[in-house]
Amino acid sequence: MTDLSLSPKTPARPSALAALKARLAAPPAAPKRVQFDRPLMPWLLLAPQLAIVAVFFYWPSAQAITSSFYLEDPFGLGSSFVGMANYTDALSSAEYRKIAAFTVFFAAVVAALSLAIGMVLAVKADKVIRGRSAYRTALIAVYAIAPPVAGLIGMMLFDQHIGPLVRFAALFGWDMKVGLDYWDTAIAMIVVAVWLHIPYNFIFILSGLQAIPAAVREAAVIDCASPLRRFLTVVLPLLTPTVFFLTIINLTYALFDTFALIDVMVKDKPANNPMTLVYKVYLDGFRGNDFGGSSAQSVILMVVVLVLTLFQFRYIERRVHYG
Amino acid sequence: MASIDIENVSKIYPGSTARSVADIALNIKDGEFIVLVGPSGCGKSTLLRMVAGLEDISEGEIRIGTRRVNEVEPAHRDIAMVFQNYALYPHMSVRDNMAYGLKNRAVPRPEIEARVAEAARMLELGPYLDRKPRALSGGQRQRVAMGRAIVRQPAAFLFDEPLSNLDAKLRVSMRTEIRRLQKRLGTTSIYVTHDQLEAMTLADRLVVLNAGRIEQIGTPLEIYHRPASTFVASFIGAPAMNLLDAEIAGNRLRIGDEVLDTPVSGAAGKVTLGIRAEDLMPADRGLSFTPDDIEDLGAQRLVHGFVAGQPLTLVISPATRVEDCRRLAPKPGALHVFDTLSGARLDLHTEHDSRPVLPVGQGL
Amino acid sequence: MNKVTPFDHLVLILGTLLMVTPIAIAVMTSTHTAADIHVNGLSLLPGGDGIETYSTVLTHKGGFTGQVTGARMMMNSLILGLGFAVGKIVLSMLAAYALVYFRFRFATAMFWVIFTTLLLPLEVRIMPSYQVMAELGLLNTYTGLIVPLLASATGTFYFRQFFKSVPDELLEAARIDGAGPVRFFIDILLPLSRNMIAAVFIIMFVYGWNQYLWPMLMTTEESFFTLMRGIKQILQVWIGSQIPDYNQAFALAVLALLPPVAIVVVFQSWFIKGLTESDK
């Protein structure tokens, strides 16, 4: 279904939540005209997945919510109900707010840069025919690199002694101290995170571009002489669904999948270094043994992801209609 | 081989109160070729799929042979189906596609091989038996779909618009081939199409459906010559029958200010008058016709124009000059009169009517 | 129409080079000695100590207990990658088959029970997940490493989309041909899904191989360490050492990135198809 990028603009829809509700209430829209009628068999087929989902998804998720209302004794001798205290503690803490602010900044910059650079490369690769597959191969190779490996390589590139990027910055009189200076570390983290996620954006935009029918582009060439204007008025609107989808994916990536990267780059000296909210959940939970606080932060993050994903559902729904 | 009896069958989809197929009664004789024809959404495919067992039967009963099949699995109904998109298994060779149903029925291997070989010979598929469907042309795929049905030696063939994915030329030749095969095998067949030409050429009997109901059942010629309603009149035959608003007053048909001098009796008041384009001839007296546009088709020419302000199409031979068509007279017995409101045929007596009255098919 | 200018090629070549250079640096630098790297910095040219470094990393027993080798960690990464991919394919094909091809009560509810897992990534429920694993006694087991990662509906989503795109008539034809649910699945659906299975396998293998946070929490015993865990380990050992083992770190990184990169590059057409045709 690569023609997903061709979905025309939809008229205003009810809110994502309302759409979700409506979907839940609706009778099952049979995906097939004809289905098997066996009362037991579907349950047997679903059983393994349902069992795993119940034990490893719903149980922990429920526990996260419950323990977010309790304060656990540091020595593990019991816990007491504290209501919303864990939430108010987290939200009112200056440190938490600072990390939240950095997380938003980090996510926005990483999402925007990897989308923009991915798009420039995809548009160029779509244009040239010779070598297109070579460029794609090269970029896909980067996609497969694990975040901790990327973090390790990034750390070396920004190493105080041997890092070529630090030496390069020194040429402009910039004394980069990654791991020591807050903003220098932040910049290194952003560079590595963007580097790792450009290929994903590239792959999707390229396939989106190639799904635009040649006839549409030829019509645009006849109607409009300026290539830039053509891109902005014809190609980009047709890519909107892809771009929207990627924006959500990029934000989710920056929020969660960068954990390993940050863990490797910040190592065990988080004191003066930037970090994201997910990293803080981990630090407070496993290092600080503050289960309640960590759980409350988890729940806050769950809400953030929920909102992001509801946006995504809206997008998927749109795609289902036109795909 | 078997007869198929469809007794007052209706389809009501869950969550809907309307009948997509309403109270259909149809008795199909052993070996008969029945074509269900109608516009899209008329319920013809749904009816076929109910016979196949792919749709539940909401009301009524379907019997294949003497056996009630309402609750019988499709595989056990002893039918074979040819789908519009052929539904060939893409990962199986032509041979395996044909053999799959037989294997599932535990037909002995030599028997399967013999039947596949026979079907391949009949359909000239011999050289392609080991190919995958994607290596075949559209026409060849269509033949494989036919072959899959033939090897089953079923009581009935069900065809769901099997030719509509082919180009026009292939469609005509496959049409003849299907007809020939069916006559040779003598297998009862139900064939769904929206193409009236296909319907006319294939059918022993034609069933015209509209909005889930049967409009008319009859042989192609019965339906052509005595359409039971304005719907059938406009659906069967090309170009479509001209339908004009008319009025019967004083035993004469009046169209606007024009009066036909054929005496009619049996009704009065506003009616719809139907005249086929080929049933009008240039004449000295008659309806005054204003030609507007001409389509030359080589063997004949179509003249579009107006009679008393209403559009009318005329078929004339290429030798006839359009200037000679200022006045038109219907051929004797070529007038069809319908009730304006219900669209149903009104059987009137016209003086020139010399044709024998053909019986209208059962079911109406 | 659209003239390709040298500028287009320039942008592409420069962009691609910038993207790929870090990998080249990692590979090349891993063939130099630690001292060499310490003095001369990272390198884009091959050095002469590759064989020695890699054999050390693969066979030298390191870690806090001195028990784990690079080869062992690679083995564990492979087990995680393969186990995860295979488990995901089996579970999600069965579940998707039930959701798409069967009419049963609560089908919609089950759809949502399964697909809600897409809403919350493991990272936000990592603490309680760990506690559940501890209660079940699954810490430091392969089961504990692999099975909880399966509790997400990505694979089910892929297969559901794919099954929905299979023409309805195939099922209808198969039913007329006398195939029941089991036979239809084995004879028709499974062979038709071959490409999809390959695509999902590649995506899931890479995903499993690249896991970091979960293995880090689940495995305190070094015999269960994966390569990703090993990378964390080697960095922790660094603190305080005079000349860090740059070469070994790079060698470990190369070992960790090579298998997924190779698989994705070799099977890129399947991979891209799987990725873009079903979104996430």
Side-chain angles (χ1 to χ4, degrees):
Chain A
M1 255 173 271
T2 35
D3 51 20
L4 60 108
S5 46
L6 292 177
S7 321
K9 279 206 168 136
T10 41
R13 286 176 167 281
S15 77
L17 197 65
L20 194 69
K21 264 192 203 156
R23 273 224 235 168
L24 277 167
K32 296 277 168 193
R33 275 195 308 213
V34 170
Q35 291 174 308
F36 291 112
D37 266 316
R38 310 278 156 117
L40 195 61
M41 198 155 186
W43 293 105
L44 287 177
L45 294 168
L46 283 170
Q49 173 121 43
L50 286 179
I52 289 183
V53 162
V55 176
F56 300 111
F57 180 84
Y58 285 101
W59 184 8
S61 299
Q63 244 181 14
I65 295 171
T66 331
S67 60
S68 71
F69 297 109
Y70 286 85
L71 188 65
E72 195 137 337
D73 183 281
F75 305 103
L77 296 174
S79 54
S80 49
F81 184 77
V82 292
M84 299 297 287
N86 287 324
Y87 290 94
T88 47
D89 280 359
L91 291 173
S92 60
S93 127
E95 191 205 358
Y96 188 81
R97 287 190 188 175
K98 187 183 168 193
I99 292 173
F102 176 77
T103 307
V104 171
F105 168 78
F106 176 78
V109 172
V110 169
L113 281 182
S114 45
L115 181 68
I117 300 173
M119 185 176 291
V120 168
L121 291 176
V123 167
K124 297 294 179 199
D126 178 53
K127 206 169 156 193
V128 306
I129 293 159
R130 184 179 306 169
R132 185 194 289 156
S133 62
Y135 296 126
R136 205 172 57 184
T137 305
L139 288 178
I140 280 178
V142 177
Y143 169 87
I145 297 175
V149 177
L152 173 76
I153 295 175
M155 236 186 66
M156 297 296 190
L157 295 176
F158 285 106
D159 187 274
Q160 211 57 60
H161 306 288
I162 60 171
L165 291 176
V166 173
R167 292 181 187 178
F168 183 70
L171 292 180
F172 302 94
W174 179 10
D175 182 18
M176 268 189 112
K177 291 196 176 71
V178 174
L180 296 174
D181 181 276
Y182 186 89
W183 283 108
D184 287 353
T185 314
I187 287 168
M189 270 162 49
I190 289 171
V191 167
V192 179
V194 169
W195 169 60
L196 196 57
H197 211 50
I198 287 173
Y200 194 90
N201 287 270
F202 173 85
I203 293 168
F204 271 85
I205 296 173
L206 185 58
S207 96
L209 284 170
Q210 295 187 330
I212 297 176
V216 170
R217 294 184 189 220
E218 285 164 3
V221 170
I222 292 167
D223 286 339
C224 173
S226 147
L228 180 66
R229 221 182 129 68
R230 226 155 43 215
F231 178 78
L232 292 177
T233 54
V234 177
V235 177
L236 199 57
L238 289 175
L239 275 183
T240 314
T242 308
V243 169
F244 178 68
F245 165 77
L246 283 173
T247 306
I248 302 285
I249 293 289
N250 287 354
L251 288 175
T252 323
Y253 159 81
L255 286 177
F256 300 105
D257 298 343
T258 50
F259 174 89
L261 199 149
I262 295 169
D263 190 43
V264 169
M265 291 187 76
V266 179
K267 274 183 290 184
D268 287 307
K269 20 174 199 177
N272 190 31
N273 278 321
M275 65 174 106
T276 60
L277 287 174
V278 173
Y279 199 71
K280 175 140 173 68
V281 169
Y282 160 78
L283 272 187
D284 288 0
F286 284 93
R287 298 292 170 79
N289 278 335
D290 176 9
F291 290 132
S294 170
S295 293
Q297 293 178 32
S298 285
V299 175
I300 294 171
L301 277 177
M302 285 182 190
V303 173
V304 172
V305 191
L306 215 69
V307 170
L308 276 178
T309 317
L310 284 178
F311 270 115
Q312 198 184 334
F313 267 130
R314 218 180 130 179
Y315 161 79
I316 288 174
E317 183 182 36
R318 185 189 294 189
R319 226 200 72 193
V320 167
H321 278 268
Y322 293 89
Chain B
M1 314 292 127
S3 59
I4 299 174
D5 296 300
I6 299 170
E7 306 286 4
N8 306 319
V9 161
S10 295
K11 177 73 189 179
I12 302 157
Y13 280 103
S16 154
T17 51
R19 286 155 189 253
S20 310
V21 166
D23 213 21
I24 298 281
L26 177 64
N27 300 298
I28 300 168
K29 294 190 281 287
D30 185 10
E32 199 175 15
F33 199 123
I34 288 283
V35 175
L36 306 180
V37 67
S40 57
C42 72
K44 56 188 189 302
S45 280
T46 309
L47 182 58
L48 186 79
R49 293 163 58 78
M50 284 196 279
V51 176
L54 298 171
E55 298 276 358
D56 293 334
I57 298 162
S58 314
E59 288 169 11
E61 178 176 290
I62 293 179
R63 287 191 308 274
I64 298 177
T66 53
R67 184 170 62 130
R68 174 189 156 98
V69 294
N70 285 38
E71 286 82 27
V72 177
E73 277 284 302
H76 302 138
R77 289 192 183 194
D78 199 15
I79 46 107
M81 187 153 168
V82 179
F83 293 87
Q84 178 172 1
N85 66 3
Y86 317 137
L88 301 179
Y89 309 121
H91 57 293
M92 293 185 191
S93 66
V94 169
R95 186 192 309 278
D96 290 341
N97 259 288
M98 292 204 260
Y100 185 64
L102 300 178
K103 283 181 192 158
N104 286 345
R105 277 181 181 69
V107 175
R109 185 167 284 279
E111 167 88 22
I112 295 179
E113 276 167 23
R115 287 203 207 172
V116 170
E118 169 66 9
R121 196 186 53 73
M122 241 189 273
L123 295 162
E124 293 161 20
L125 283 170
Y128 310 108
L129 277 178
D130 293 312
R131 289 208 194 161
K132 295 273 170 65
R134 69 168 160 276
L136 302 177
S137 70
Q140 288 164 340
R141 284 179 208 182
Q142 218 286 323
R143 282 157 193 272
V144 178
M146 293 278 303
R148 192 163 66 178
I150 289 173
V151 294
R152 295 272 306 279
Q153 303 180 350
F157 290 138
L158 308 178
F159 297 92
D160 192 1
E161 310 215 12
L163 302 182
S164 55
N165 281 4
L166 298 177
D167 63 52
K169 203 176 156 194
L170 211 50
R171 204 147 54 203
V172 174
S173 67
M174 280 309 295
R175 196 166 75 199
T176 334
E177 198 163 341
I178 288 179
R179 176 75 189 163
R180 210 164 42 220
L181 273 169
Q182 194 269 340
K183 285 293 147 225
R184 184 167 148 195
L185 298 166
T187 310
T188 315
S189 299
I190 306 181
Y191 187 108
V192 162
T193 181
H194 61 263
D195 179 340
Q196 56 94 17
L197 196 62
E198 223 169 271
M200 293 287 286
T201 50
L202 282 170
D204 290 333
R205 274 195 301 155
L206 210 57
V207 179
V208 185
L209 288 158
N210 181 28
R213 295 177 183 281
I214 294 183
E215 288 274 334
Q216 189 171 6
I217 304 177
T219 66
L221 288 183
E222 278 166 14
I223 286 177
Y224 184 81
H225 290 303
R226 289 184 64 84
S229 64
T230 46
F231 174 82
V232 177
S234 58
F235 195 78
I236 301 289
M241 184 186 280
N242 296 299
L243 294 172
L244 304 167
D245 291 334
E247 199 175 350
I248 297 177
N251 286 351
R252 285 287 187 279
L253 268 166
R254 179 193 286 274
I255 306 155
D257 295 334
E258 306 281 333
V259 180
L260 275 172
D261 52 8
T262 322
V264 291
S265 61
K270 287 196 183 334
V271 293
T272 301
L273 173 65
I275 314 172
R276 294 218 178 266
E278 60 271 31
D279 286 343
L280 287 162
M281 296 174 303
D284 298 333
R285 316 175 44 217
L287 303 169
S288 83
F289 177 65
T290 323
D292 179 42
D293 186 28
I294 302 166
E295 291 178 273
D296 270 310
L297 304 178
Q300 56 184 26
R301 58 197 339 195
L302 302 184
V303 186
H304 303 285
F306 298 93
V307 164
Q310 301 187 53
L312 183 125
T313 302
L314 175 68
V315 175
I316 52 176
S317 83
T320 315
R321 295 191 314 157
V322 176
E323 293 74 50
D324 296 336
C325 300
R326 299 285 177 199
R327 292 214 162 257
L328 302 172
K331 287 180 186 166
L335 296 182
H336 307 265
V337 182
F338 303 97
D339 186 281
T340 303
L341 288 177
S342 71
R345 182 180 190 87
L346 298 173
D347 275 309
L348 304 183
H349 300 286
T350 59
E351 212 162 69
H352 295 303
D353 201 342
S354 54
R355 286 176 203 216
V357 175
L358 294 160
V360 177
Q362 48 183 307
L364 253 187
Chain C
M1 43 185 266
N2 260 341
K3 277 250 169 54
V4 180
T5 60
F7 177 71
D8 294 328
H9 279 290
L10 191 72
V11 170
L12 272 173
I13 291 169
L14 272 181
T16 312
L17 276 182
L18 276 177
M19 293 293 292
V20 179
T21 309
I23 303 180
I25 288 181
V27 174
M28 291 307 171
T29 309
S30 69
T31 59
H32 293 263
T33 62
D36 184 13
I37 299 166
H38 191 63
V39 177
N40 297 321
L42 304 182
S43 177
L44 263 171
L45 296 171
D49 297 280
I51 295 168
E52 202 194 319
T53 306
Y54 278 92
S55 63
T56 310
V57 167
L58 280 172
T59 58
H60 179 72
K61 294 191 174 179
F64 293 119
T65 57
Q67 281 307 310
V68 64
T69 62
R72 176 81 205 205
M73 291 193 281
M74 249 186 133
M75 191 62 175
N76 286 336
S77 286
L78 195 68
I79 290 171
L80 176 54
L82 286 178
F84 178 69
V86 171
K88 199 87 176 187
I89 286 170
V90 171
L91 282 184
S92 46
M93 273 193 95
L94 293 181
Y97 186 51
L99 290 175
V100 174
Y101 281 98
F102 286 83
R103 198 194 328 260
F104 62 105
R105 274 167 68 81
F106 304 115
T108 313
M110 288 307 112
F111 171 84
W112 283 102
V113 164
I114 290 174
F115 283 84
T116 305
T117 60
L118 288 174
L119 295 180
L120 300 175
L122 183 63
E123 283 82 355
V124 304
R125 53 191 158 88
I126 196 85
M127 278 286 310
S129 294
Y130 175 82
Q131 286 171 322
V132 166
M133 298 313 288
E135 280 176 46
L136 293 175
L138 289 174
L139 300 178
N140 290 313
T141 59
Y142 286 119
T143 316
L145 201 56
I146 295 167
V147 176
L149 291 173
L150 298 174
S152 135
T154 42
T156 316
F157 189 71
Y158 281 115
F159 281 110
R160 180 171 166 271
Q161 294 290 97
F162 175 74
F163 289 165
K164 279 167 75 178
S165 76
V166 172
D168 288 4
E169 286 83 356
L170 281 186
L171 172 62
E172 297 174 0
R175 286 190 70 180
I176 291 176
D177 274 341
V182 176
R183 206 175 263 269
F184 174 72
F185 186 76
I186 294 170
D187 286 351
I188 313 283
L189 208 54
L190 211 55
L192 281 182
S193 310
R194 269 191 316 219
N195 285 351
M196 193 62 202
I197 293 172
V200 173
F201 181 85
I202 293 164
I203 292 169
M204 294 304 164
F205 176 79
V206 171
Y207 184 84
W209 177 282
N210 285 352
Q211 278 302 305
Y212 176 76
L213 177 56
W214 188 246
M216 190 172 86
L217 297 177
M218 289 304 301
T219 58
T220 45
E221 251 172 57
E222 295 185 351
S223 58
F224 287 100
F225 274 16
T226 64
L227 280 170
M228 301 305 150
R229 185 68 182 82
I231 283 172
K232 169 130 182 129
Q233 187 77 10
I234 209 165
L235 293 177
Q236 280 172 338
V237 174
W238 269 9
I239 299 163
S241 60
Q242 276 303 314
I243 298 177
D245 292 327
Y246 292 120
N247 55 341
Q248 293 189 16
F250 273 121
L252 208 59
V254 170
L255 290 178
L257 70 77
L258 227 45
V261 166
I263 285 183
V264 160
V265 166
V266 171
F267 300 108
Q268 58 173 303
S269 58
W270 276 341
F271 172 73
I272 291 176
K273 221 166 158 285
L275 200 65
T276 55
E277 284 192 359
S278 319
D279 286 353
K280 217 180 158 195

